[in-house]
Amino acid sequence: MTLIKGARPYGEDAVDIRVQDGRIAEIGPDLSVDGAQLVDAAGLVALPGLVDLHTHLREPGREDAETVETGSRAAALGGFTAVHAMANTDPVADTAGVVEQVWRLGQEAGLVDVVPVGAVTVGLRGERLAELGAMADSAARVRVFSDDGHCVADPALMRRALEYVKAFDGVVAQHAEEPRLTVGAQMNEGDRSARLGLAGWPAAAEEAVIARDVLLAGHVGARLHVCHVSTAGSVEILRWAKSRGVQVTAEVTPHHLLLTDECAEGYDPVFKVNPPLRTAEDVEALRAGLADGTIDAVGTDHAPHAAEDKESEWAAARPGMLGLEQALSVVVQTMVEPGRLDWRGVADRMSVRPAAIGRLDGHGRPLAVGEPANLLLLDPAHRATVDPAALASRSRNSPYAGRELPGRVVATFLRGVATVLDGKAVR
Amino acid sequence: MKRHLLEAGDLDRDDATLVLDTAAQIEAALAGREVKKLPTLRGRTVVNLFYEDSTRTRISFELAAKRLSADVINFSAKGSSVSKGESLKDTALTLEAMGADGIVVRHGASGAPHRLATWVKGSVVNAGDGTHEHPTQALLDAYTIRQRLGRLDGVRVAVVGDVLHSRVARSNVWLLSTLGAEVTLVAPPTLLPVGVGSWPVTVSYDLDAVLPTADVVMMLRVQGERMNASFFPSAREYSRRYGLDARRMAALPDEAIVMHPGPMNRGMEIAAEVADSPRSTIVDQVGNGVSVRMAVLYLLLGGAPE
Ligand SMILES: [Zn+2]
């Protein structure tokens, strides 16, 4: 039994929260301590445990970059209680066997609920459907399917995938990138790519696929989720599609909310990511889209890479950035501090809606009596400079290195058990 | 001067003029000498680190360093235009350990010299990186223009061809505009980068309209494989619309010169009779390249002149 003293749920009035048997047993002022383990949360904001729709854990295959365990620890430190593990592992998570393996590793680590994402197509090759039903029926209960890293570019195959997963209430999470428009692409196409001599990744390559997919999803009445939206045009298309009643949801990454293609100056590959960092106008449109709900969720696209995959020429480096540990801080800086999202808004975009999109039971629930005790305690006033050496991830490719960010996750509870206390992972 | 020469944008007007003036001084100092050698960089080591084959550029830098009495090491890492993993960093640290004072680097990846410069203490000279820049080429072009026309301020330069993929074009755009020239880029729209509108240049798709007012026509090499990628429909159409032949050369003002960074596709972007005409500076460019590279190595490694 744990008693959290003086926390402010959703930033509102301070109360005590009693946690018992994995659930919130009581909420109220001045609850009796009664032999409970005491957590002093004076001044801390309490939020439902965060849910990530988009995490790369690298296991199996690249355990030198991250494992399910190290990634789970990074997630817990970021305030997450559930993460969706992307399918682009080696072997690819395109069978019931691989998704069950990842799910079981997550259970063993016991720091967050690791929910595998299944590949849409065999080997992420975009040629034929993987056994989506077998993954849905497996112990991992897969509901989100994605070839992330690759786009399901063939429109007929995309249509079939959207239709097929309706049978088990699944959703296809699309990495929207028309591959013929991004051959050799290295960064956002525009003034900077022209000057830096790095091949451009045009916004239209993302927007064209989103436009196509929302039309397909509308036509067949299926659920579509758009991964890591990065352009102002994409936000407009989503707004239009939602106004037409298309069942489309979308996510934005923390780095696309904060950073621009200006970061490519100097050619440090820590800033190489797919989709690439865009312009200040795009960043503004993404923040507005997240604020008004056109963009449903923040998805980290946490993409750990070993040093040798990043300490190279820009073109040779793998795309991707760390995201789990600083996601909430970036949202605090870009959305909460400027007054664009209140704490209930943060809970909605980082917990409630992602859990709903992934059809996760027990996550994204309100802080209320009887609900599973998945929650985090945040010190919003704390500011610190990000030191990659101090991160829990096995990799160091943080785009926030040396940057001061607000907000520190002081504690995280998974079904009532602390995974983080005093800002440190419990295990 | 800064410690490295990574891109033409690193040079302000004073620095760029200093390089050109130094090259002229060096050329004058060596003129008529039997032994074309200065003792300036004796005891210094210059490494030519070439990830891409370019015999012309490598020899030009090698000659420049040797004429300044530096020790020269040629390090070719060809076969890996974009190398994997840590190899560029490993190589950098090796060269560092060997005591390289200057590293001249040619690499297929844009920005590779910038990365290298973060890992070594010596000076890095960009000898061409991907589709980014080739700053010493721009310096030798500027030197050649000044030599022929006597000035750079207000000179109207038409840069013609595959601007999109050309590091020579990029370096020339920044350097020539820094030095007061007026640059017009002439190409089919497919061979101009998106974002070119923010450059200090005029853009035209019509070579014939530009020629009568150009003091300099700088032709860029066009690679045949661009045709297969549909940047233009055919070699013949390209040549008709953007090639410089005798008829077009006749439309130029009397004093105008024709430049090409080499190697040329004769009959594609430039006709043989144009390349070999007295207006052509192509041979001068090669010779001036050595003087300009000597000036760059001298200024970076030997300190400012007294
Ligand atoms: Zn992706």
Side-chain angles (χ1 to χ4, degrees):
Chain A
M1 189 168 64
T2 304
L3 188 66
I4 300 167
K5 288 291 281 183
R8 298 158 51 217
Y10 307 104
E12 291 153 16
D13 294 342
V15 291
D16 298 348
I17 303 170
R18 184 187 303 284
V19 172
Q20 200 161 3
D21 301 328
R23 292 190 176 267
I24 296 174
E26 203 178 357
I27 298 181
D30 302 318
L31 300 184
S32 73
V33 178
D34 245 10
Q37 187 201 355
L38 208 63
V39 175
D40 178 12
L44 304 184
V45 172
L47 295 173
L50 308 182
V51 176
D52 193 14
L53 281 165
H54 197 141
T55 304
H56 296 274
L57 290 178
R58 304 296 183 218
E59 188 176 10
R62 282 307 299 266
E63 291 81 358
D64 59 324
E66 195 81 285
T67 64
V68 171
E69 188 187 343
T70 59
S72 292
R73 191 169 294 119
L77 284 163
F80 290 88
T81 51
V83 299
H84 288 78
M86 275 297 169
N88 63 337
T89 47
D90 183 14
V92 170
D94 58 1
T95 63
V98 179
V99 295
E100 283 190 352
Q101 180 196 354
V102 171
W103 174 77
R104 192 159 292 120
L105 287 165
Q107 297 269 301
E108 285 164 14
L111 292 157
V112 292
D113 285 343
V114 173
V115 187
V117 172
V120 177
T121 67
V122 175
L124 309 175
R125 282 194 293 273
E127 290 163 1
R128 55 196 180 85
L129 293 180
E131 288 188 349
L132 307 172
M135 291 188 272
D137 293 343
S138 75
R141 275 191 80 255
V142 175
R143 290 295 176 273
V144 182
F145 298 88
S146 181
D147 275 1
D148 182 58
H150 302 273
C151 181
V152 181
D154 176 341
L157 193 61
M158 184 61 185
R159 174 198 170 144
R160 296 296 173 229
L162 286 166
E163 286 177 310
Y164 192 80
V165 302
K166 284 165 68 177
F168 31 87
D169 197 20
V171 61
V172 178
Q174 176 74 293
H175 170 122
E177 175 183 357
E178 168 48 53
R180 291 287 297 137
L181 289 174
T182 57
V183 174
Q186 298 293 329
M187 69 173 292
N188 179 48
E189 182 165 78
D191 296 358
R192 272 207 176 76
S193 64
R195 192 164 50 71
L196 293 172
L198 293 171
W201 200 129
E206 173 175 306
E207 294 154 5
V209 170
I210 296 176
R212 179 199 79 177
D213 286 354
V214 296
L215 294 174
L216 289 173
H219 180 61
V220 303
R223 285 208 292 144
L224 166 71
H225 178 71
V226 185
C227 295
H228 42 51
V229 166
S230 72
T231 79
S234 296
V235 179
E236 270 184 64
I237 293 163
L238 288 165
R239 199 169 277 135
W240 172 83
K242 286 190 167 187
S243 76
R244 306 251 303 190
V246 175
Q247 296 181 72
V248 59
T249 56
E251 76 197 22
V252 60
T253 72
H255 49 268
H256 286 109
L257 286 173
L258 180 65
L259 307 174
T260 67
D261 65 354
E262 195 179 342
C263 294
E265 304 272 354
Y267 299 93
D268 183 346
V270 79
F271 297 108
K272 180 175 171 178
V273 66
N274 188 11
L277 299 174
R278 303 286 188 184
T279 67
E281 294 76 52
D282 293 309
V283 168
E284 170 52 32
L286 295 168
R287 291 178 183 180
L290 186 63
D292 72 16
T294 302
I295 297 173
D296 300 81
V298 174
T300 67
D301 199 3
H302 178 79
H305 286 298
E308 68 267 22
D309 292 325
K310 278 291 191 185
E311 287 198 328
S312 65
E313 309 85 298
W314 180 281
R318 288 176 190 249
M321 302 172 164
L322 298 184
L324 286 169
E325 290 172 75
Q326 272 69 48
L328 184 52
S329 289
V330 172
V331 170
V332 170
Q333 180 167 77
T334 58
M335 303 299 294
V336 179
E337 290 187 344
R340 304 187 84 148
L341 217 52
D342 60 14
W343 294 111
R344 281 190 188 271
V346 173
D348 183 66
R349 307 298 196 274
M350 296 188 78
S351 179
V352 178
R353 288 213 220 181
I357 292 164
R359 299 293 194 250
L360 284 193
D361 296 334
H363 291 276
R365 302 295 305 165
L367 295 176
V369 172
E371 295 289 351
N374 295 319
L375 62 114
L376 70 94
L377 301 172
L378 177 81
D379 178 357
H382 188 273
R383 304 187 78 87
T385 302
V386 178
D387 173 12
L391 298 175
S393 172
R394 190 164 274 190
S395 292
R396 295 288 166 262
N397 53 309
S398 170
Y400 311 115
R403 196 178 273 267
E404 192 188 87
L405 291 175
R408 174 172 179 257
V409 174
V410 176
T412 309
F413 296 88
L414 175 64
R415 284 182 289 278
V417 178
T419 55
V420 173
L421 272 182
D422 293 328
K424 295 185 184 67
V426 170
R427 271 175 294 161
Chain B
M1 289 274 288
K2 294 185 179 179
R3 184 154 59 94
H4 309 292
L5 179 57
L6 301 177
E7 49 191 51
D10 288 346
L11 299 166
D12 60 21
R13 197 177 173 118
D14 287 349
D15 283 343
T17 306
L18 177 64
V19 174
L20 303 188
D21 290 347
T22 305
Q25 282 168 25
I26 288 172
E27 202 173 280
L30 291 177
R33 283 209 201 181
E34 204 160 303
V35 180
K36 294 204 182 295
K37 208 157 178 168
L38 299 170
T40 320
L41 296 185
R42 185 166 292 154
R44 305 284 187 123
T45 301
V46 175
V47 178
N48 285 324
L49 177 58
F50 274 54
Y51 284 83
E52 251 185 16
D53 259 338
S54 173
T55 312
R56 303 157 53 103
T57 304
R58 185 182 56 73
I59 288 175
S60 182
F61 270 106
E62 185 173 352
L63 211 52
K66 284 184 169 164
R67 284 188 178 170
L68 292 168
S69 304
D71 296 323
V72 181
I73 298 167
N74 286 313
F75 191 107
S76 115
K78 61 174 190 276
S80 53
S81 66
V82 172
S83 65
K84 172 78 191 82
E86 267 193 316
S87 70
L88 181 66
K89 186 173 185 181
D90 287 344
T91 305
L93 298 179
T94 305
L95 299 179
E96 182 81 2
M98 291 164 125
D101 299 293
I103 300 173
V104 175
V105 59
R106 159 74 67 119
H107 201 291
S110 299
H114 294 69
R115 298 298 291 151
L116 198 64
T118 65
W119 296 321
V120 299
K121 290 193 203 73
S123 294
V124 175
V125 179
N126 181 359
D129 63 327
T131 52
H132 176 227
E133 282 221 25
H134 192 0
T136 59
Q137 176 72 41
L139 285 162
L140 77 86
D141 290 339
Y143 185 84
T144 306
I145 294 170
R146 197 174 75 164
Q147 192 179 52
R148 280 284 190 113
L149 303 181
R151 68 198 165 97
L152 283 159
D153 222 13
V155 167
R156 291 162 300 184
V157 182
V159 178
V160 185
D162 186 359
V163 176
L164 180 64
H165 302 96
S166 173
R167 49 197 175 205
V168 173
R170 274 178 186 68
S171 286
N172 267 298
V173 164
W174 305 119
L175 185 75
L176 290 174
S177 56
T178 296
L179 290 169
E182 294 164 23
V183 179
T184 301
L185 301 177
V186 186
T190 47
L191 290 175
L192 289 163
V194 164
V196 74
S198 65
W199 291 6
V201 297
T202 308
V203 169
S204 171
Y205 308 138
D206 184 352
L207 180 57
D208 288 311
V210 171
L211 290 176
T213 58
D215 301 309
V216 177
V217 186
M218 188 181 290
M219 302 305 294
L220 301 172
R221 178 180 171 81
V222 176
Q223 289 175 322
E225 67 231 46
R226 306 288 176 227
M227 192 176 78
N228 302 326
S230 288
F231 285 99
F232 49 86
S234 71
R236 194 162 69 163
E237 173 154 328
Y238 182 87
S239 187
R240 270 195 200 140
R241 292 178 66 87
Y242 297 100
L244 190 61
D245 56 11
R247 176 186 65 80
R248 284 208 166 108
M249 187 167 67
L252 286 168
D254 290 344
E255 300 300 309
I257 57 172
V258 174
M259 309 184 78
H260 194 296
M264 290 176 281
N265 298 301
R266 287 171 185 258
M268 173 78 166
E269 71 266 2
I270 191 164
E273 61 216 288
V274 177
D276 300 332
S277 81
R279 285 171 182 266
S280 161
T281 64
I282 293 164
V283 177
D284 304 357
Q285 286 170 269
V286 175
N288 291 338
V290 178
S291 308
V292 164
R293 285 168 181 134
M294 285 176 79
V296 167
L297 292 173
Y298 170 71
L299 291 169
L300 292 180
L301 303 180
E306 282 86 306

